[in-house]
Amino acid sequence: MLTAAVLVPLVGAIALALWPRASERTARGVGVVTTLVPLVLLIVTWGRFEAGASDPFQLVERIEWIPQLGASFAFGVDGIGLAVAATAALLFVVAVVYPADTRGRPRQYVAWFLFLDAVSLGLFLTVDLLLFYVFFDLSLVGMYFLISSWGHGDPKRAALKFFLYTLAGSLVMLLGVLAIYLGTEPRTFDMAEVIAQQPLAGEATRAGLALLALMIGLGIKSPVVPFHTWLPPAHVDAPGPASTILAGVLLKMGTFGMIRLPYAMLRDSFQRWAFVIAVVAVISIVYGALVAFGQRDLKRRIAYTSVNHMGYTVLGVAAAGALIGGDEAARELALTGATVEMVAHGLITGALFLIAGSFWQRGGEYDLDAYGGLAGQAPKLAGATTIAAFASLGLPGLAGFVAEFHVFVGTFSVFPVLAAVGLLGILITAALFLQVLQELFLGDLPDRWRGFPDLVPREVSALGVLLALTVLIGVWPGWLLDVVRDGTAWLVGS
């Protein structure tokens, strides 16, 4: 079932690549069907998932790949991987459905989304370390072509910067992967076996260097300060649905990887450096929020809030790692919050980037100064933006609050000063999103926008799903927390 979730969108991508006469309607149809299949399979997997099972990964499917190296095509889930993979699967359905200018190349446009769907789900579902790295690298290819071929502004330059930065990060990460692999005995890429062995325990220098390599590579992907500079141009120049995938799925590969690799496989070293990681996280929180507040470009402002929000996730992971061997309840809270933040940010910021894409489709620009007074002209757009903005700033009753509450409760028991500084990020984020709502929807309506169209049914349905889940998690988070806690519990040993 998990293997099929990875292969079906890949087959769809290949089919569209070999189908030169496919119309836009056909390409979209193939895209919707082949992205819905993995989503349905993961919902079934969610139903079959057993809380409290003895094995760290459940429903494992394994085929030998390179037995001489101990590598295999292996897929399985824990609570963390299942929650993040299901979110990614949903975002790909929404991205394919959402209207965008395909510039006369619809099958290529949809095919690259399907390719990205396959490698993204492969990364979140694999339980083989080498396969994780392969999917990590392949994700760069799909996003590169989506930005460079269907972006605007200076898309080729933005795509090249994105590719080179993240490829450099993945090469550095490879050093850490190899160090871990060479420390195993017998040699294996099986994640469950590697976690059980803790291969570099007791070798402080080697483990520290491996941790540094992994955190640099994953930090570039997340991104955290100072490795974030590729992100704003990539987002600004990408089409709206591609930005949704970039923020909602690709950035999560970095933070998900931090939990899966350095946190789980290098526990002693991670604990030793947890405070430094937490400091970097808080810098990302505050810096991302401050720089976002200074942006007049709507999409660039949303992009910098991703730096801010990924800082919350890294802070939760660092706090959980710092308490290894200590308060298990606080460790679990922090790690649960970090995982829920990945889900919440995917839904919320995914919606915000789709909304930014709708502004571009109608107005051809992201400049906040160009808009105003649109609440009466486009009430559906105003309503969707308001819900997404309040969710992003962490208003109670919405998904962002659930995530950030867990992160800060867990962090306060470990790094109280850092947690207090990190709260400034929430305050600044609130100010910047309230300002966005004021400038887009309140005040006088410029004459040029008197014909500004409201959201069409496809946009309403796509945004409606993301925002409905945002509200559902906010008011009834138990169904998500139960699954996530099962994954965090075995990692913290509770």
Side-chain angles (χ1 to χ4, degrees):
M1 184 178 293
L2 298 178
T3 306
V6 176
L7 290 180
V8 167
L10 183 61
V11 170
I14 294 171
L16 284 178
L18 300 176
W19 195 349
R21 295 187 177 181
S23 65
E24 174 146 4
R25 184 173 181 177
T26 301
R28 294 271 189 184
V30 171
V32 170
V33 171
T34 50
T35 52
L36 272 175
V37 170
L39 177 61
V40 171
L41 291 173
L42 288 170
I43 291 172
V44 174
T45 300
W46 199 296
R48 295 176 58 192
F49 190 78
E50 296 180 19
S54 56
D55 294 328
F57 298 112
Q58 300 182 35
L59 305 170
V60 174
E61 301 164 3
R62 188 182 303 276
I63 301 172
E64 283 195 350
W65 177 24
I66 312 174
Q68 297 84 352
L69 295 177
S72 57
F73 285 102
F75 301 101
V77 290
D78 66 343
I80 298 172
L82 180 56
V84 178
T87 305
L90 173 64
L91 288 171
F92 275 103
V93 177
V94 169
V96 170
V97 168
Y98 211 76
D101 181 7
T102 59
R103 303 180 186 177
R105 290 166 287 154
R107 67 183 181 88
Q108 296 95 328
Y109 175 84
V110 175
W112 280 118
F113 273 105
L114 296 180
F115 174 81
L116 261 180
D117 192 7
V119 300
S120 300
L121 293 180
L123 183 142
F124 295 131
L125 296 175
T126 188
V127 290
D128 183 275
L129 183 55
L130 182 58
L131 201 54
F132 179 97
Y133 180 77
V134 170
F135 285 129
F136 191 89
D137 254 10
L138 288 177
S139 68
L140 310 183
V141 179
M143 185 53 67
Y144 169 81
F145 282 107
L146 281 172
I147 296 173
S148 63
S149 301
W150 288 275
H152 39 258
D154 193 357
K156 289 183 170 51
R157 181 177 180 182
L160 184 63
K161 187 173 184 179
F162 155 79
F163 192 92
L164 293 179
Y165 252 74
T166 47
L167 178 63
S170 73
L171 292 174
V172 175
M173 189 181 83
L174 179 61
L175 300 176
V177 170
L178 293 176
I180 289 175
Y181 172 71
L182 293 173
T184 59
E185 188 57 45
R187 298 280 162 73
T188 180
F189 285 106
D190 185 317
M191 286 185 171
E193 181 61 27
V194 173
I195 292 169
Q197 286 191 24
Q198 293 294 303
L200 299 179
E203 300 181 55
T205 302
R206 286 181 62 194
L209 291 173
L211 178 77
L212 179 63
L214 291 174
M215 291 304 296
I216 289 176
L218 296 166
I220 290 174
K221 191 82 166 188
S222 298
V224 294
V225 175
F227 305 119
H228 65 287
T229 58
W230 62 268
L231 184 69
H235 269 310
V236 171
D237 293 340
S243 283
T244 293
I245 297 303
L246 180 59
V249 180
L250 266 65
L251 303 192
K252 307 304 174 295
M253 294 179 181
T255 48
F256 176 80
M258 289 180 191
I259 297 173
R260 192 65 98 214
L261 273 59
Y263 178 93
M265 298 176 183
L266 300 170
R267 291 187 177 184
D268 290 346
S269 189
F270 193 94
Q271 181 183 19
R272 195 172 301 118
W273 292 97
F275 179 76
V276 176
I277 296 169
V279 169
V280 172
V282 170
I283 291 172
S284 296
I285 290 170
V286 177
Y287 176 85
L290 284 172
V291 177
F293 202 7
Q295 304 302 313
R296 301 303 303 164
D297 181 298
L298 173 62
K299 220 174 175 192
R300 186 175 286 270
R301 179 172 288 209
I302 299 170
Y304 272 108
T305 64
S306 286
V307 178
N308 160 264
H309 282 95
M310 288 301 93
Y312 296 135
T313 302
V314 178
L315 181 62
V317 177
L323 282 172
I324 288 174
D327 186 341
E328 291 178 352
R331 291 162 52 194
E332 191 177 326
L333 273 175
L335 200 54
T336 297
T339 305
V340 176
E341 179 68 34
M342 286 192 274
V343 174
H345 179 263
L347 299 173
I348 297 165
T349 307
L352 284 169
F353 277 121
L354 290 178
I355 289 167
S358 294
F359 271 96
W360 178 267
Q361 294 276 0
R362 289 157 173 77
E365 58 182 311
Y366 297 122
D367 188 356
L368 289 169
D369 294 327
Y371 297 99
L374 288 170
Q377 184 70 29
K380 296 174 188 173
L381 180 60
T385 309
T386 301
I387 295 173
F390 278 118
S392 189
L393 63 86
L395 192 74
L398 298 168
F401 173 79
V402 176
E404 290 161 20
F405 180 81
H406 279 76
V407 167
F408 279 102
V409 168
T411 304
F412 261 115
S413 66
V414 192
F415 304 127
V417 174
L418 291 180
V421 175
L423 285 173
L424 289 174
I426 295 179
L427 183 65
I428 300 167
T429 305
L432 72 89
F433 273 115
L434 290 174
Q435 187 184 57
V436 166
L437 295 177
Q438 288 175 346
E439 300 202 13
L440 291 177
F441 299 110
L442 303 182
D444 297 329
L445 178 69
D447 289 340
R448 61 185 292 205
W449 302 129
R450 296 203 178 278
F452 195 92
D454 205 351
L455 297 176
V456 300
R458 278 167 59 189
E459 293 172 310
V460 171
S461 59
L463 288 170
V465 170
L466 298 184
L467 297 177
L469 275 172
T470 299
V471 175
L472 179 63
I473 293 171
V475 298
W476 184 46
W479 61 275
L480 174 63
L481 294 175
D482 286 345
V483 170
V484 171
R485 280 175 177 162
D486 192 79
T488 57
W490 77 265
L491 277 172
V492 300
S494 61

